[in-house]
């Protein structure tokens, strides 16, 4: 923050708090509290003008003097300040004006600064204000004062030097100014280390060696000694530092290094990268600026281009840049420095190329910090030849990897797995490999730019082909081992390596790769992509292999597995298109030619699913009966349950409710976990969930609305326990439909639909996105026409994905609700709806479709045609045993009857229908019928 020139040496107190501006310290009841640097600057400015309103523009200008940030960032830090102070009453927002500190304050002069000794050698200039390091600096200050010997360890470019220098400046008063900073990285010979340090301390050179003189000199002083960049001479520094620590009483050693010294008395502090947005975070400027890495990028970019402002449009790109750079301060500074020449999008693009490693730093930076490549080259050159070899080989991993994966890949005829394990540990200690503790599944990874550098070295040494091939075969073996039992634990382990699967496939289908390995990887990984709900990724990799290798070179069985996975992914993402249907027909023919019953059943299931959704229910039933016949000789209860599921769904949709219920009951009772899991692994689809979902609707149709909800709730509960996207979409939408049919609370229905829509969108399942939107729109239209656009959008998505099971019901209900709201439907629309109904074979919703049309025609004054549709609806409902539809239809007829005899007859029918219900008296239809009978 810009110095205002007044009050910077004051100590201000309010309530239990004490603010020392000179020391940038806030204490509560004498104990320091954690407060970010921006929040401290805001507090200091508000305290300076306590009782007055400080405008937002002034706060933004003074707290961010060299940057242009939006108001959202100010609000974020105000919130953090209020949270730290514990009470909102100290800082008040004055609407439309700014903020004011409203509590009484007391001002005292700061304690006079002690006389500062001239340092042995002046410290280098204080770095520009560090962002996101306040807590680190407080922790390190406490550690160095308490333990005297602290080594700050971290990868190159993480900001160790800046932190150490800032801390040295902060603590200078504590040591009466007696500080010394020595760049060990500038020493190119360990024999010159002690002499160089002696020179920095101002000690005359001694003929017998400098180390004894250094110790003698330091024994008489209380000093903060900073040894920077010690990884280059780590052994020599360890010996000297240990001697200084052991033989002096008041020397405090602050060391920076890419690996610990492992010296007696040393306390290691691992410096982590700046906090940066994870995947999906930082999508707006305000959100992105809550991360220290982004805030640092913006500040550095503004210093290169004064007009730079982080916008909502650029925020996702900057967040991705910081994430790609793993929060490394040097890397972020180098990237931000390009903003003066390129826009954010171009910087992000360059980051994916080799150019990023050569972006230049400030001219005054030490050589090892001039570029990212120089920083990594410095570390690489300090490795032994065997460490370099392991480091290079690890670069083929796409992300995290386990110890077993690393040792298996790095080992060869010259290097055992035990030696590779030991060398991996050495690379971790030198901060070139990151170790992530995770209980039983601890893992390792290379930072992104480190991986890019190591991969370049792998190519330079000519090892790429051999290492990439070993990696592909390793990933194939891991897929085979983890997926051998085809259980969820194995699939979960496979999911953890999917990034590496993609890398291995891409290598295998390249000119230098092995096509056979690529095909095997695609076949082995196909069920994992589907199980994980990564449908788009599954499509990409299956198609990549088929396009690269081609049918003539593929084993027929392998090709069948890959094509089936591709067709599954296409079906779930694009819907049940005619192209998808033809793809499955091709798979079916291949399966028949191989005599493969299992794959024939798979293809028939999907072909049936195409027809059931089209909707072509008679064709669907024919395919389901083929499955029933094909499975008849097979002594597998689970396979028979699958056939019952298919026949049951087909007969439900045809309106054959009693027959359908028997098939559902057999399917649920006889299905086996093993058979269900086979379908889950192959399609990411659990047939038990749609069985329960459709059965719940059948219960509603047959007049058991309470049982319908219980079965629907069971489907939702079981679907939540599955790690698959499609079953949950099915369960949520069937339950929402049944609640909608009952006339239950629209808010409760919307909760289910909002979850279904979000879930479907997250997994790119267009058909269930459409179903959820259409149903949500109809739900909204019950109390007006606010949901009209949603109905239209949802039905459009359903048509696009060839899922039209609900079209007749939803279209006619939508039209009826509009007519009831006073809309005048044009004749063309009504004629189209009548044609739609007449072209359909009788199905599960036919009675309600006819009733809806009857209501529409009655509203337009066509009583005769309306009466005929009502009569047809009643006959249909009675024929199917759908007393829920029958109740609605009879109530419509009774309300519109225009003579006493007809009304009396229909009231009698209505009473008889109510008597057939054994539950559901609280539903809207039941209550409406009771009210009508009471009022008549």
């Amino acid at each position: 923050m810009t110095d205002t020139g007044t009050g910077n040496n004051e100590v201000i107190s309010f309530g239990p708090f004490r603010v020392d501006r000179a020391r940038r310290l806030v204490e509560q009841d004498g104990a320091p509290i954690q407060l970010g640097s921006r929040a401290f600057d805001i507090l200091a400015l508000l305290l300076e003008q306590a009782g007055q309103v400080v405008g937002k523009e002034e706060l933004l200008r003074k707290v961010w003097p060299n940057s242009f940030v939006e108001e959202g960032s100010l609000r974020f830090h105000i919130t953090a300040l209020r949270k730290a102070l514990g009470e909102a009453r100290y800082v008040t927002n004055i609407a439309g004006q700014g903020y004011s500190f409203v509590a009484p304050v007391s001002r005292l002069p700061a304690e006079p600064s002690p006389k500062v000794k001239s340092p042995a050698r002046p410290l280098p200039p204080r770095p520009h204000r560090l962002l996101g390091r306040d807590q680190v600096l407080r922790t390190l200050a406490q550690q160095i004062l308490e333990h005297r010997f602290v080594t700050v360890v971290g990868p190159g470019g993480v900001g160790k030097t800046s932190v150490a220098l800032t801390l040295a400046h902060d603590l200078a008063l504590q040591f009466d100014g007696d500080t010394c900073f020595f760049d060990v990285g500038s020493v190119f010979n360990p024999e010159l280390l002690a002499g160089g340090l002696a020179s920095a301390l101002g000690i005359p050179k001694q003929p017998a060696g400098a180390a004894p003189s250094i110790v003698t000199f330091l024994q008489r002083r209380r000093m903060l000694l900073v040894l920077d960049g010690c990884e280059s001479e780590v052994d020599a520094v360890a010996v000297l530092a240990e001697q200084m620590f052991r033989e002096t009483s008041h020397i405090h050693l602050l060391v920076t290094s890419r690996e610990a010294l492992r010296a007696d008395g040393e306390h290691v502090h691992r410096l982590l990268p700046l906090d940066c947005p994870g995947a999906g975070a930082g999508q707006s400027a305000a959100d992105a600026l809550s991360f220290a890495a982004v805030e640092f990028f913006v500040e550095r970019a503004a210093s290169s281009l004064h007009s730079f402002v982080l916008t909502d449009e650029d925020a996702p790109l900057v967040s991705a840049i910081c994430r790609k750079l793993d929060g490394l301060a040097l890397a972020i500074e180098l990237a931000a420095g390009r903003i003066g020449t390129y826009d954010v999008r171009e910087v992000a693009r360059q980051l994916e190329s080799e150019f990023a490693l050569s972006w230049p730093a400030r001219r005054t930076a030490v050589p090892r910090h001039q570029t990212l490549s120089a920083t990594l080259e410095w570390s690489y050159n300090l490795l032994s030849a065997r460490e370099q070899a392991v480091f290079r080989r690890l670069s083929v991993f796409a992300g995290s990897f386990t110890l077993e994966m690393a040792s298996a890949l790095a080992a060869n005829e010259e290097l055992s797995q035990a030696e590779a394990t030991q060398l991996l540990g050495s690379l971790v200690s030198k901060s070139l490999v990151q170790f992530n503790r995770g209980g039983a599944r601890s893992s390792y990874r290379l930072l992104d730019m480190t991986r890019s550098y190591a991969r370049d070295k792998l190519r330079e040494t000519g090892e790429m082909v051999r290492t990439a091939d070993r990696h592909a075969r390793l990933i194939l073996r891991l897929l085979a081992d983890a997926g051998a039992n085809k259980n969820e634990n194995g699939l979960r382990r496979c999911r953890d390596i999917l990034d590496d699967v993609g890398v291995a496939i891409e290598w295998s289908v390249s000119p230098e790769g092995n096509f056979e390995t690529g095909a095997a990887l695609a076949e082995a990984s196909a069920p994992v992509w589907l199980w994980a709900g990564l449908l788009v990724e599954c499509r990409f990799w299956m198609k990549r292999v088929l396009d690269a290798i081609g049918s003539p070179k593929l084993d027929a069985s392998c090709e069948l597995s890959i094509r089936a996975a591709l067709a599954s992914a296409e079906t779930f993402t694009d819907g049940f298109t005619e192209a998808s249907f033809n793809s499955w027909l091709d798979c079916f023919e291949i399966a028949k030619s191989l005599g493969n019953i299992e794959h024939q059943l798979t293809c028939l299931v999907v072909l049936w699913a195409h027809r059931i959704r089209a909707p072509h229910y008679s064709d669907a039933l024919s395919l389901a009966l083929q499955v029933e016949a094909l499975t008849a000789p097979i002594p597998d209860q689970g396979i028979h349950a699958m056939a019952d599921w298919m026949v049951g769904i087909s007969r439900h949709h045809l309106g054959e409710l009693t027959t359908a219920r028997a098939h559902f009951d057999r399917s649920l009772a006889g299905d086996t976990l093993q058979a269900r899991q086979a379908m889950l692994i192959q399609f990411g689809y659990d047939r038990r969930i749609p069985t329960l979902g459709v059965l719940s609707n059948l219960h509603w149709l047959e007049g058991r609305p309470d049982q319908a909800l219980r079965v629907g709730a069971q489907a939702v509960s079981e679907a939540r326990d599955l790690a698959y996207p499609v079953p949950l979409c099915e369960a949520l939408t069937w339950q929402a439909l049944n609640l909608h049919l009952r006339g239950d609370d629209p808010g409760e229905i919307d909760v289910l639909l909002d979850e279904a829509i979000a879930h479907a969108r997250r997994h790119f399942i267009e058909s269930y996105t459409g179903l959820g939107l259409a149903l949500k729109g109809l739900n909204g239209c019950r109390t007006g026409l606010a949901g009209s656009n949603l109905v239209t959008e949802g039905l459009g998505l359903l048509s696009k994905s060839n899922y039209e099971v609900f079209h007749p019901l939803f279209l006619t209900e939508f039209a009826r609700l509009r007519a009831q709201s006073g809309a005048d439907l044009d004749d063309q629309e009504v004629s189209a709806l009548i044609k739609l109904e007449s072209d359909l074979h009788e199905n599960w919703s036919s009675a309600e479709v006819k009733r809806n049309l009857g209501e529409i025609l009655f509203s337009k004054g066509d009583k005769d045609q309306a009466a005929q549709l009502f009569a047809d609806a009643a006959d249909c409902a009675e024929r199917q045993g759908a007393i829920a539809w029958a109740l609605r239809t009879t109530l419509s007829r009774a309300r519109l009857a225009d003579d006493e005899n007809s009304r009396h007859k229909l009231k009698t029918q209505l009473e008889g229908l109510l008597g057939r219900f054994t539950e559901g008296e609280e539903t809207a239809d039941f209550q409406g019928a009771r009210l009508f009978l009471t009022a008549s």
Side-chain angles (χ1 to χ4, degrees):
M1 185 178 73
T2 303
D3 188 349
T4 60
T6 61
N8 277 356
N9 291 325
E10 286 183 327
V11 172
I12 302 175
S13 64
F14 56 91
F17 295 96
R18 185 173 181 273
V19 180
D20 187 333
R21 292 187 61 180
R23 297 166 61 201
R24 297 181 65 82
L25 176 67
V26 181
E27 295 176 324
Q28 181 178 13
D29 295 324
I33 66 169
Q34 183 175 342
L35 194 64
S37 60
R38 298 290 194 195
F40 183 91
D41 290 343
I42 293 168
L43 175 60
L45 193 55
L46 292 174
L47 286 172
E48 185 179 310
Q49 302 179 53
Q52 303 175 41
V53 178
V54 183
K56 296 174 184 177
E57 294 78 7
E58 181 180 353
L59 283 166
L60 287 168
R61 186 176 67 254
K62 291 187 174 180
V63 175
W64 286 272
N66 297 315
S67 303
F68 291 84
V69 297
E70 297 180 348
E71 190 178 318
S73 185
L74 174 61
R75 288 196 299 270
F76 172 81
H77 290 290
I78 287 284
T79 300
L81 173 59
R82 285 172 166 165
K83 183 177 180 181
L85 297 180
E87 297 185 46
R89 62 185 176 89
Y90 291 118
V91 178
T92 300
N93 179 22
I94 310 300
Q97 299 182 52
Y99 297 91
S100 177
F101 192 91
V102 294
V105 301
S106 299
R107 302 176 185 272
L108 300 170
E111 296 179 3
S113 300
K115 186 175 181 180
V116 178
K117 296 179 182 178
S118 298
R121 181 177 181 180
L123 291 173
R126 184 188 187 100
H128 57 76
R129 188 169 58 85
L130 298 184
L131 293 169
R133 297 302 194 193
D134 294 347
Q135 183 57 45
V136 169
L137 290 169
R138 281 193 288 271
T139 300
L140 280 172
Q142 182 179 355
Q143 290 176 338
I144 194 68
L145 293 174
E146 180 179 351
H147 302 300
R148 288 184 49 227
F149 183 5
V150 177
T151 300
V152 180
V153 174
V158 77
K160 300 183 296 294
T161 300
S162 294
V163 165
L165 260 179
T166 300
L167 187 61
H169 280 277
D170 287 349
L171 294 179
L173 290 176
Q174 299 270 4
F175 292 91
D176 295 338
D178 202 357
T179 59
C180 180
F181 181 93
F182 178 54
D183 181 9
V184 176
S186 63
V187 176
F188 300 102
N189 188 325
E191 295 180 1
L192 302 177
L193 172 65
L197 178 57
S199 177
L201 289 168
I203 304 171
K205 293 183 179 179
Q206 302 293 322
S213 300
I214 292 173
V215 172
T216 301
F217 174 81
L218 293 177
Q219 284 173 337
R220 302 192 303 271
R221 307 180 74 94
R222 182 175 183 273
M223 172 186 282
L224 175 62
L225 176 55
V226 181
L227 304 178
D228 185 49
C230 296
E231 61 276 350
S232 61
E233 307 295 345
V234 65
D235 292 334
V237 173
V239 172
L240 182 57
E242 188 174 294
Q243 184 180 3
M244 289 188 292
F245 176 74
R246 187 174 56 245
E247 298 182 21
T248 67
S249 302
H250 302 291
I251 298 302
H252 294 248
L253 297 172
L254 179 59
V255 177
T256 75
S257 177
R258 300 183 191 184
E259 64 176 306
L261 303 186
R262 290 184 290 170
D264 185 36
E266 177 190 33
H267 283 73
V268 176
H269 181 103
R270 190 163 292 277
L271 185 62
L272 300 177
L274 294 171
D275 184 31
C276 58
Q283 298 302 293
S284 68
D287 183 24
L289 285 166
S290 67
F291 295 91
V294 174
E295 193 176 7
F296 181 59
F297 180 98
V298 170
E299 183 175 84
R300 293 293 82 211
S303 69
S304 296
L305 183 66
H306 185 65
S307 61
F308 180 77
V309 180
L310 182 64
T311 63
D312 285 342
E313 181 182 1
D314 283 342
L317 289 170
V318 173
S319 296
I321 288 171
C322 293
R323 185 165 56 249
K324 175 75 174 175
L325 296 173
D326 292 293
L328 291 178
L330 174 62
I332 292 171
E333 182 169 12
L334 298 182
R338 312 303 290 163
I339 293 298
T341 307
Y342 305 104
D343 62 19
V344 172
R345 189 172 300 278
E346 176 60 20
V347 171
R349 190 196 67 78
Q350 288 188 16
L351 194 56
E352 300 299 328
S353 70
E354 69 276 10
F355 298 121
L357 288 170
S358 58
W359 284 341
R362 298 186 306 275
R363 296 183 191 278
T364 55
V366 295
R368 65 179 182 274
H369 290 164
Q370 285 289 343
T371 63
L372 285 175
S373 184
T375 296
L376 292 164
E377 190 82 14
W378 173 269
S379 293
Y380 183 75
N381 289 336
L382 295 175
L383 301 177
S384 68
R386 291 159 73 83
E387 287 173 329
Q388 289 178 347
V390 172
F391 175 62
R392 292 191 300 267
R393 292 166 193 169
L394 294 178
S395 69
V396 297
F397 286 118
S400 297
F401 49 88
T402 64
L403 175 62
E404 294 74 18
M405 292 166 67
S407 59
L409 179 76
N412 58 17
E413 59 278 359
E414 300 170 357
L415 185 71
S416 69
Q417 288 201 16
E419 291 172 315
T421 298
Q422 183 179 3
L423 292 167
L424 173 64
S426 177
L427 292 172
V428 171
S429 71
K430 297 176 189 297
S431 302
L432 283 168
V433 175
Q434 307 300 301
F435 175 56
N436 307 307
R437 288 181 176 82
R441 297 292 296 172
S442 295
S443 63
Y444 302 81
R445 68 180 289 259
L446 273 65
L447 301 180
D448 280 356
M449 300 311 293
T450 305
R451 184 184 302 113
S452 296
Y453 173 85
R455 192 165 296 168
D456 287 344
K457 288 295 182 184
L458 191 68
R459 292 191 187 95
E460 287 177 15
T461 56
E463 298 176 275
M464 176 59 83
V465 172
R466 182 174 57 181
T467 307
D469 185 63
R470 285 175 60 86
H471 172 259
R473 286 186 283 111
L474 169 64
I475 297 304
L476 179 59
R477 178 172 60 77
L478 292 174
L479 283 172
D481 291 347
N485 297 323
K486 294 189 176 180
N487 57 32
E488 194 157 317
N489 287 334
L491 287 168
R492 190 173 290 111
R493 290 198 299 275
C494 291
R495 181 184 59 189
D496 292 342
I497 60 171
L498 282 178
D499 286 343
D500 279 289
V501 170
V503 168
I505 290 177
E506 189 61 45
W507 166 260
S508 298
V509 300
S510 71
E512 296 173 304
N514 184 307
F515 282 2
E516 187 176 325
T517 302
L521 282 163
E523 181 181 18
S525 66
V528 188
W529 297 108
L530 294 170
W531 172 81
L534 299 172
L535 305 175
V536 174
E537 291 83 352
C538 182
R539 287 182 62 168
F540 177 84
W541 290 116
M542 299 305 110
K543 193 170 187 307
R544 180 78 179 92
V545 169
L546 289 172
D547 289 347
I549 301 176
S551 297
K553 298 179 183 178
L554 279 173
D555 172 77
S557 178
C558 178
E559 180 184 3
L560 177 58
S561 297
I562 295 172
R563 287 195 180 278
L566 174 60
S568 294
E570 288 175 338
T571 300
F572 284 133
T573 52
D574 289 347
F576 287 72
T577 63
E578 201 60 32
S580 172
F581 186 82
N582 291 330
S583 293
W584 281 106
L585 274 179
D586 291 342
C587 290
F588 182 63
E589 293 303 323
I590 297 174
K592 282 180 68 176
S593 70
L594 293 171
N596 189 322
I597 299 297
E598 180 182 354
H599 275 289
Q600 287 181 61
L601 288 173
T602 294
C603 296
L604 285 171
V605 167
V606 183
L607 292 170
W608 166 82
H610 274 75
R611 288 298 176 244
I612 202 75
R613 294 162 61 111
H616 299 305
Y617 299 139
S618 296
D619 292 345
L621 179 59
S622 176
L623 288 163
L625 292 174
Q626 282 189 58
V627 171
E628 194 174 57
L630 197 59
T631 58
I634 302 174
D636 185 327
Q637 203 172 6
I639 294 294
H640 294 296
M642 182 181 74
D644 274 319
W645 158 65
M646 295 170 67
V647 175
I649 297 285
S650 302
R651 295 201 181 279
H652 167 275
H653 286 16
L654 283 165
E656 301 172 14
L657 304 183
T658 302
T659 308
R661 180 154 39 88
H663 283 283
F664 287 149
D665 290 343
R666 281 201 303 271
S667 179
L668 291 170
D671 215 345
T672 64
L673 182 61
Q674 183 179 5
R676 284 171 54 212
Q677 284 184 334
M679 177 174 277
L680 271 168
I681 291 168
Q682 189 167 27
F683 296 121
Y685 191 84
D686 186 351
R687 58 178 172 261
R688 178 176 171 83
I689 302 304
T691 302
L692 290 170
V694 179
L695 178 60
S696 69
N697 180 254
L698 189 149
H699 282 309
W700 186 85
L701 291 170
E702 291 190 325
R704 295 179 294 277
D706 296 342
Q707 192 169 347
L709 287 195
R710 287 195 295 272
V711 173
Q714 180 184 352
V716 172
S717 176
E718 292 188 16
R720 290 193 195 285
D721 293 334
L722 296 171
Y724 295 83
V726 175
L728 183 56
C729 289
E730 287 188 304
L732 289 167
T733 47
W734 274 113
Q735 182 71 332
L737 174 62
N738 290 329
L739 285 167
H740 175 73
L741 294 173
R742 282 171 54 101
D744 281 8
D745 176 22
E748 181 182 353
I749 299 170
D750 269 350
V751 169
L752 290 171
L753 291 173
D754 286 342
E755 181 182 357
I757 293 165
H759 193 66
R761 281 175 168 161
R762 185 161 55 250
H763 294 284
F764 305 98
I765 309 173
E766 195 168 55
S767 57
Y768 281 102
T769 302
L771 180 55
L773 288 171
L775 193 47
K776 184 178 174 67
L778 288 174
N779 190 45
C781 286
R782 283 166 51 186
T783 55
L785 295 178
S788 296
N789 291 336
L790 290 179
V791 177
T792 304
E793 181 185 357
L795 290 173
L797 288 174
L798 285 168
S799 293
K800 182 180 176 184
S801 55
N802 290 288
Y803 190 9
E804 299 193 343
V805 171
F806 300 96
H807 265 60
L809 178 62
F810 285 5
L811 282 169
T812 56
E813 181 178 348
F814 184 38
R816 173 177 60 79
L817 290 170
R818 286 160 50 218
Q820 288 176 354
S821 296
D824 184 16
L825 305 185
D826 62 59
D827 293 341
Q828 186 177 356
E829 180 182 357
V830 175
S831 296
L833 291 173
I834 292 172
K835 185 177 188 307
L836 171 68
E837 188 278 328
S838 64
D839 288 346
L840 288 173
H841 294 289
E842 186 173 305
N843 62 76
W844 68 286
S845 66
S846 288
E848 180 70 352
V849 169
K850 294 175 189 293
R851 186 188 77 88
N852 285 334
L853 284 172
E855 294 276 8
I856 293 166
L857 289 169
F858 189 88
S859 72
K860 293 181 72 67
D862 191 346
K863 295 183 180 180
D864 292 340
Q865 193 172 355
Q868 184 59 53
L869 282 164
F870 286 148
D872 292 345
D875 290 344
C876 178
E878 191 62 35
R879 188 166 52 251
Q880 293 180 1
I883 64 172
W885 293 146
L887 179 62
R888 286 188 171 187
T889 300
T890 305
L891 184 56
S892 289
R893 298 176 76 188
R895 283 171 174 163
L896 302 179
D898 53 9
D899 66 86
E900 190 60 33
N901 185 46
S902 297
R903 287 176 65 85
H904 178 74
K905 182 179 178 180
L906 289 166
K907 284 171 61 179
T908 301
Q909 290 180 15
L910 199 58
E911 289 173 338
L913 281 169
L914 291 177
R916 292 167 66 181
F917 282 84
T918 58
E919 60 185 50
E921 293 187 9
E922 75 286 357
T923 62
D925 289 341
F926 201 105
Q927 293 285 328
R930 281 290 185 211
L931 183 62
F932 176 81
L933 291 171
T934 302
S936 299

